[in-house]
Amino acid sequence: MTNILDAICNIVDQGIFDLMKYKAKSSIRINTVGDLLENYIKDAICDTFFLDGQKKLKIQQDILSYGGNQNNPPDLIIRDGDAFEVKKIQSFKSSIALNSSYPKNKLYDTDSRISNECRDVL
């Protein structure tokens, strides 16, 4: 099983710090801002930085029980592990914007903002 420490090690070991290779998939501008970071985090967790296409997708599907959607939290869930809601901030002194998917310490399957698809993997 992978975890956040494995993801951090993958980032350091691979030395990939440029997020510009990650294409924005969302048509909603505010979601586009977070897509780069969200896809980077998925690669870090799944160690798929240098993979493309079906091979990357297969590994991510094996490691993640939920890959997220743009309208509901969380952004991803590690199979039998932690859920993540990725938030981008502009500087170290910035605070996290509290929008409809505000940060929480725990996310419960009874939360009304969670989709049924996500609820089924919790």
Side-chain angles (χ1 to χ4, degrees), residues 25-114:
K25 297 176 184 174
S26 175
S27 60
I28 301 170
R29 191 186 72 76
I30 193 65
N31 288 349
T32 302
V33 171
D35 282 349
L36 298 173
L37 183 57
E38 186 177 322
N39 290 322
Y40 179 82
I41 296 300
K42 284 181 184 179
D43 273 352
I45 289 170
C46 299
D47 195 16
T48 53
F49 283 117
F50 297 105
L51 300 177
D52 287 319
Q54 291 299 321
K55 189 169 187 175
K56 176 185 269 199
L57 184 61
K58 170 75 171 108
I59 291 171
Q60 288 183 350
Q61 287 174 338
D62 288 346
I63 293 173
L64 304 175
S65 62
Y66 181 71
N69 72 46
Q70 67 183 6
N71 297 319
N72 303 91
D75 291 324
L76 60 109
I77 302 174
I78 297 174
R79 191 170 306 284
D80 299 322
D82 294 319
F84 295 85
E85 181 68 17
V86 178
K87 298 292 182 191
K88 178 183 174 186
I89 56 173
Q90 296 297 329
S91 70
F92 288 114
K93 294 184 179 185
S94 296
S95 60
I96 296 175
L98 300 178
N99 59 21
S100 62
S101 58
Y102 59 91
K104 293 184 166 195
N105 290 334
K106 296 193 183 282
L107 189 61
Y108 298 98
D109 63 352
T110 56
D111 191 310
S112 63
R113 292 167 299 135
I114 297 177

